Amino acid sequence: MSTDKRIDYIEFPAADISVAKKFYGEVFGWTFVDYGLDYCAFNDGRINGGFRRADVFSATSQNGAVLIVIYATDLKATKKRVMAAGAAILRDIYSFPGGRRFHFLDPNGNELAVWSDH
Protein backbone atom coordinates (compact mmCIF):
# COMPACT_ATOMS: atom_id res chain seq x y z
CA MET A 1 0.00 0.00 0.00
CA SER A 2 1.38 3.37 -1.00
CA THR A 3 1.72 6.12 1.60
CA ASP A 4 1.67 8.80 -1.08
CA LYS A 5 -1.06 11.42 -0.49
CA ARG A 6 -2.14 9.97 2.90
CA ILE A 7 -2.12 11.66 6.28
CA ASP A 8 1.25 10.79 7.74
CA TYR A 9 1.54 12.71 11.01
CA ILE A 10 -0.75 14.55 13.41
CA GLU A 11 0.50 17.17 15.84
CA PHE A 12 -1.36 18.38 18.93
CA PRO A 13 -0.69 21.48 21.03
CA ALA A 14 -0.15 20.76 24.73
CA ALA A 15 0.51 23.09 27.63
CA ASP A 16 1.73 20.06 29.63
CA ILE A 17 3.26 17.27 27.57
CA SER A 18 3.59 14.93 30.56
CA VAL A 19 -0.19 15.18 31.12
CA ALA A 20 -0.78 14.37 27.43
CA LYS A 21 1.48 11.31 27.63
CA LYS A 22 -0.23 10.04 30.77
CA PHE A 23 -3.73 10.54 29.35
CA TYR A 24 -3.19 9.00 25.89
CA GLY A 25 -0.99 6.22 27.26
CA GLU A 26 -3.59 5.18 29.86
CA VAL A 27 -6.68 5.54 27.71
CA PHE A 28 -5.50 4.46 24.26
CA GLY A 29 -2.17 2.69 24.85
CA TRP A 30 -0.10 5.11 22.75
CA THR A 31 3.71 4.97 23.02
CA PHE A 32 6.03 7.99 23.18
CA VAL A 33 9.52 9.25 22.36
CA ASP A 34 10.67 12.51 23.95
CA TYR A 35 12.60 15.13 21.96
CA GLY A 36 13.58 17.61 24.64
CA LEU A 37 11.19 19.45 26.94
CA ASP A 38 9.01 20.98 24.24
CA TYR A 39 8.22 18.02 21.98
CA CYS A 40 7.15 14.40 22.26
CA ALA A 41 6.34 12.02 19.41
CA PHE A 42 3.64 9.37 19.74
CA ASN A 43 2.56 6.23 17.93
CA ASP A 44 -0.95 4.82 18.24
CA GLY A 45 -0.05 1.54 16.55
CA ARG A 46 -0.93 2.83 13.09
CA ILE A 47 -0.11 6.53 12.77
CA ASN A 48 2.59 8.74 14.20
CA GLY A 49 2.16 12.17 15.66
CA GLY A 50 3.43 14.51 18.29
CA PHE A 51 2.68 16.88 21.13
CA ARG A 52 4.30 20.31 20.90
CA ARG A 53 4.41 22.70 23.81
CA ALA A 54 1.92 25.52 23.30
CA ASP A 55 0.58 27.77 26.02
CA VAL A 56 -2.22 29.52 24.13
CA PHE A 57 -4.63 27.71 21.85
CA SER A 58 -8.27 26.76 21.46
CA ALA A 59 -8.42 23.36 19.82
CA THR A 60 -12.16 22.73 19.69
CA SER A 61 -14.27 22.11 16.62
CA GLN A 62 -16.57 24.94 17.70
CA ASN A 63 -13.59 27.29 17.32
CA GLY A 64 -12.69 25.89 13.91
CA ALA A 65 -10.11 23.26 14.88
CA VAL A 66 -9.85 19.99 12.97
CA LEU A 67 -11.65 17.14 14.73
CA ILE A 68 -9.60 13.95 15.10
CA VAL A 69 -11.82 10.86 15.46
CA ILE A 70 -10.51 7.64 17.05
CA TYR A 71 -12.15 4.24 16.46
CA ALA A 72 -13.02 1.98 19.42
CA THR A 73 -14.75 -1.39 19.37
CA ASP A 74 -16.28 -0.78 22.83
CA LEU A 75 -17.54 2.80 22.90
CA LYS A 76 -18.95 2.76 26.45
CA ALA A 77 -15.79 1.25 27.98
CA THR A 78 -13.65 3.79 26.11
CA LYS A 79 -15.82 6.65 27.35
CA LYS A 80 -15.37 5.39 30.94
CA ARG A 81 -11.56 5.28 30.50
CA VAL A 82 -11.56 8.76 28.94
CA MET A 83 -13.50 10.17 31.90
CA ALA A 84 -11.42 8.28 34.50
CA ALA A 85 -8.25 9.73 32.98
CA GLY A 86 -9.49 13.30 33.45
CA ALA A 87 -11.14 14.30 30.17
CA ALA A 88 -14.40 16.24 30.00
CA ILE A 89 -17.19 14.87 27.85
CA LEU A 90 -18.30 17.60 25.44
CA ARG A 91 -20.97 15.57 23.67
CA ASP A 92 -22.33 12.30 25.06
CA ILE A 93 -22.72 9.17 22.94
CA TYR A 94 -25.05 9.78 20.01
CA SER A 95 -25.98 7.97 16.81
CA PHE A 96 -25.09 9.12 13.32
CA PRO A 97 -25.31 7.34 9.96
CA GLY A 98 -22.79 4.52 10.22
CA GLY A 99 -22.40 4.28 13.99
CA ARG A 100 -22.22 6.12 17.30
CA ARG A 101 -19.71 8.49 18.84
CA PHE A 102 -18.90 10.92 21.63
CA HIS A 103 -16.66 14.00 21.86
CA PHE A 104 -14.24 14.80 24.68
CA LEU A 105 -11.83 17.53 25.71
CA ASP A 106 -8.46 16.10 26.72
CA PRO A 107 -6.63 17.49 29.78
CA ASN A 108 -4.72 19.95 27.53
CA GLY A 109 -7.85 21.34 25.85
CA ASN A 110 -7.88 19.39 22.57
CA GLU A 111 -11.27 18.15 21.36
CA LEU A 112 -11.34 14.64 19.91
CA ALA A 113 -14.12 12.15 19.23
CA VAL A 114 -14.37 8.39 19.55
CA TRP A 115 -16.66 6.37 17.29
CA SER A 116 -17.78 2.79 16.83
CA ASP A 117 -19.75 1.10 14.11
CA HIS A 118 -21.80 -0.90 16.62
Side-chain angles (χ1 to χ4, degrees), residues 46-107:
R46 187 178 71 149
I47 196 164
N48 294 303
F51 295 101
R52 63 177 164 74
R53 185 164 317 282
D55 293 325
V56 179
F57 60 89
S58 183
T60 63
S61 60
Q62 184 177 17
N63 291 329
V66 171
L67 180 65
I68 305 295
V69 183
I70 298 169
Y71 180 81
T73 55
D74 189 335
L75 198 61
K76 288 182 182 179
T78 302
K79 180 184 168 199
K80 286 180 185 177
R81 285 195 319 272
V82 163
M83 292 170 58
I89 301 300
L90 294 178
R91 187 164 181 194
D92 207 355
I93 295 173
Y94 66 96
S95 296
F96 68 95
R100 300 178 315 135
R101 74 185 198 187
F102 68 90
H103 295 219
F104 68 90
L105 196 63
D106 79 6

